[in-house]
Amino acid sequence: MPAETASGNVCVTGWGRTAPSAARLIRPRTYEDAVAAVRDCGARGGIPRGLGRAYGDAAQNAGGAVFDMTGLDRIHAVDAAGGTVLCDAGVSLHRLMEVLLPLGWFVPVTPGTRYVTVGGAIAADIHGKNHHVSGSFSRHVLSLELLTADGSVRTAGHGTALFDATAGGMGLTGVILAATVRLQPVETAFVAVDTERASDLDDLMARLTAADHRYRYSVAWIDLLARRAATGRAVLTRGDHAPLAALPARARRSPLAFRPSRLPPAPAFLPEGLLTRRTVGLFNELWYRRAPRARTGELQKLSAFFHPLDGVPHWNRVYGRGGFVQYQFVVGYGQEDALRRIVQRISRRGCPSFLAVLKRFGEADPGWLSFPRPGWTLALDIPAGLPGLAAFLDELDEEVATAGGRVYLAKDSRLRPELLDAMYPRLAAFRALRAELDPRGVFTSDLARRLSL
């Protein structure tokens, strides 16, 4: 069966909807389709794409081809005793949860949405609330099958250059076709959650440093509009998978049932200018005040704890037609002063962000372009139409680079290329291997051209 091709070019954007470009969309249904698509993608090359949750332009390719890999969605084998799954790259984490939870297994790492594919999770080397314990997604990938530019399929495992370039390589080493992933055992579909409030950024960092080792999952919502003594105040949420004994009697009848909540979709677009410093400031104040000062052992559904926004389809529309930028960076331990300065600058600038989180990263992962490194990571959403935003974020990039940090490529749509080498020290090795694998530049993207990857 030939690969499906959209008639003519289609407009493709990231989840932030800030940098649309037109491309020819090809949807392979088989591995043979994928090989044919790569061989016939044309002079502008192609880039694989999953469910479109990269915020920036990583899965776009202006004037070329985009390979929609969601048609490759088979789960080939589940080892319910050993805790592994072999599946196609187009399988979503949502689908894995549906299949694996009844068997007592959960995905090892999940970001803030379960609507990402396994291939996308590897290509972006996604992280979650458990990086300080479990690392990023690719750490749990035992092997992968990669379709390279010459049309051959190669198996790559841990410790090989091909694997390390592909993990976090943003789809530029080839098309991931399938992967074997090690899973996390669970007894229930609930998380036992502790919640507390932190009065400011220093209080938050102290609480995270002192107790994160006791929790598998940890994240802090941070109020980036709070000023003066309250700068960086936060709601800290931490937890672990709830054991069967922690569930009330009624819930024990079906402890592994996966029943995510779902609300009506967001409106097509909210009016421009609705998300102002005043409106977001009011939201942040209410959110902080309604959080408990200290609460322990609350049982939450997996979907509520990990993916609250997935309950609102198309939530990215709330930023209006202009879209939004998600800015995420990491700075190392010992660079807390840099983190303080950046938070203070964001607070003074009045960036209207109600989705801002601070986490701690653990040991770095082997991927050459993998984002996490030991340190503090802050992510925030900002309406793209905010006056002077581009210049302001350029200044933050300089501060991050000076502190030895980096920004997350899976969320970027505007980084200047001259900062990339400083942020990613293995970039030269990545470029060299990519040139060897793909001398004709078959795999490319808007991100790759913008940053000269």
Side-chain angles (χ1 to χ4, degrees):
M1 178 178 176
E4 277 188 9
T5 306
S7 57
N9 285 353
V10 296
C11 182
V12 180
T13 75
W15 191 245
R17 302 180 9 264
T18 56
S21 61
R24 183 166 53 100
L25 199 63
I26 303 173
R27 194 167 191 253
R29 295 284 189 179
T30 65
Y31 295 172
E32 292 76 16
D33 285 351
V35 171
V38 168
R39 286 177 172 165
D40 300 332
C41 62
R44 291 284 287 181
I47 191 72
R49 179 183 177 91
L51 287 166
R53 290 303 180 104
Y55 285 79
D57 55 1
Q60 300 172 209
N61 183 25
V66 169
F67 311 127
D68 177 351
M69 300 304 296
T70 58
L72 291 172
D73 58 358
R74 292 165 297 174
I75 297 176
H76 295 281
V78 177
D79 181 351
T84 62
V85 60
L86 168 61
C87 63
D88 285 344
V91 173
S92 70
L93 298 192
H94 174 85
R95 179 61 180 150
L96 286 182
M97 292 175 197
E98 288 182 321
V99 171
L100 298 172
L101 267 171
L103 303 176
W105 298 99
F106 189 62
V107 295
V109 172
T110 177
T113 175
R114 60 187 178 272
Y115 295 110
V116 297
T117 62
V118 169
I122 298 169
D125 203 12
I126 60 170
H127 56 272
K129 299 176 181 179
N130 59 340
H131 191 276
H132 64 292
V133 172
S134 302
S136 63
F137 191 88
S138 293
R139 189 180 297 185
H140 306 271
V141 176
L142 303 180
S143 65
L144 58 87
E145 300 297 315
L146 187 73
L147 169 60
T148 54
D150 62 1
S152 63
V153 177
R154 308 187 190 190
T155 300
H158 275 282
T160 65
L162 186 57
F163 185 96
D164 292 347
T166 301
M170 307 312 298
L172 296 172
T173 60
V175 178
I176 300 169
L177 297 176
T180 300
V181 183
R182 184 175 57 243
L183 304 169
Q184 169 67 38
V186 295
E187 294 182 16
T188 73
F190 292 86
V191 181
V193 181
D194 293 352
T195 304
E196 58 191 288
R197 292 196 314 211
S199 59
D200 59 30
L201 182 60
D202 284 339
D203 182 30
L204 173 61
M205 289 194 291
R207 290 171 186 259
L208 286 165
T209 301
D212 255 12
H213 65 281
R214 300 204 302 262
Y215 297 90
R216 180 177 298 275
Y217 302 104
S218 176
V219 66
W221 170 88
I222 185 169
D223 183 359
L224 292 176
L225 287 177
R227 302 288 295 274
R228 295 180 286 276
T231 299
R233 67 180 179 178
V235 178
L236 176 56
T237 307
R238 295 181 284 198
D240 207 336
H241 295 284
L244 183 62
L247 269 56
R250 184 175 180 179
R252 291 185 200 178
R253 298 172 192 166
S254 53
L256 292 165
F258 182 51
R259 301 189 184 103
S261 302
R262 193 171 180 86
L263 297 173
F269 290 106
L270 293 183
E272 299 292 339
L274 184 63
L275 297 181
T276 65
R277 173 175 179 145
R278 182 173 181 177
T279 59
V280 175
L282 177 61
F283 172 88
N284 287 2
E285 180 71 24
L286 293 173
W287 190 263
Y288 180 77
R289 295 297 175 189
R290 72 182 291 273
R293 291 184 181 275
R295 181 173 60 199
T296 60
E298 179 192 14
L299 291 177
Q300 294 184 10
K301 290 181 179 180
L302 288 170
S303 57
F305 181 75
F306 290 108
H307 315 119
L309 288 175
D310 281 348
V312 184
H314 307 294
W315 64 262
N316 57 341
R317 294 173 179 172
V318 303
Y319 292 90
R321 296 185 183 278
F324 69 101
V325 172
Q326 180 160 114
Y327 185 71
Q328 183 169 7
F329 67 90
V330 58
V331 293
Y333 296 124
Q335 293 294 333
E336 287 76 13
D337 283 344
L339 178 62
R340 291 186 188 96
R341 286 193 300 270
I342 292 171
V343 169
Q344 288 166 357
R345 292 181 68 170
I346 294 170
S347 176
R348 289 195 301 268
R349 179 66 174 74
C351 294
S353 178
F354 64 90
L355 291 175
V357 296
L358 183 73
K359 294 182 289 192
R360 294 172 75 248
F361 279 159
E363 181 182 348
D365 298 287
W368 293 347
L369 296 188
S370 184
F371 168 66
R373 52 157 295 179
W376 304 93
T377 181
L378 177 65
L380 62 149
D381 290 355
I382 313 171
L386 191 70
L389 179 61
F392 177 68
L393 293 182
D394 283 347
E395 294 171 1
L396 295 191
D397 290 341
E398 294 281 358
E399 182 105 38
V400 169
T402 299
R406 59 182 64 136
V407 301
Y408 192 14
L409 296 182
K411 297 183 177 180
D412 176 60
S413 60
R414 25 82 35 210
L415 179 68
R416 290 175 293 146
E418 58 266 27
L419 292 177
L420 199 63
D421 286 88
M423 292 182 173
Y424 287 89
R426 300 299 303 275
L427 182 60
F430 176 82
R431 284 171 170 154
L433 182 63
R434 185 176 172 225
E436 177 185 336
L437 285 173
D438 186 8
R440 297 185 294 112
V442 171
F443 296 111
T444 189
S445 65
D446 293 353
L447 174 81
R449 281 188 286 268
R450 176 168 56 82
L451 295 179
S452 300
L453 286 173

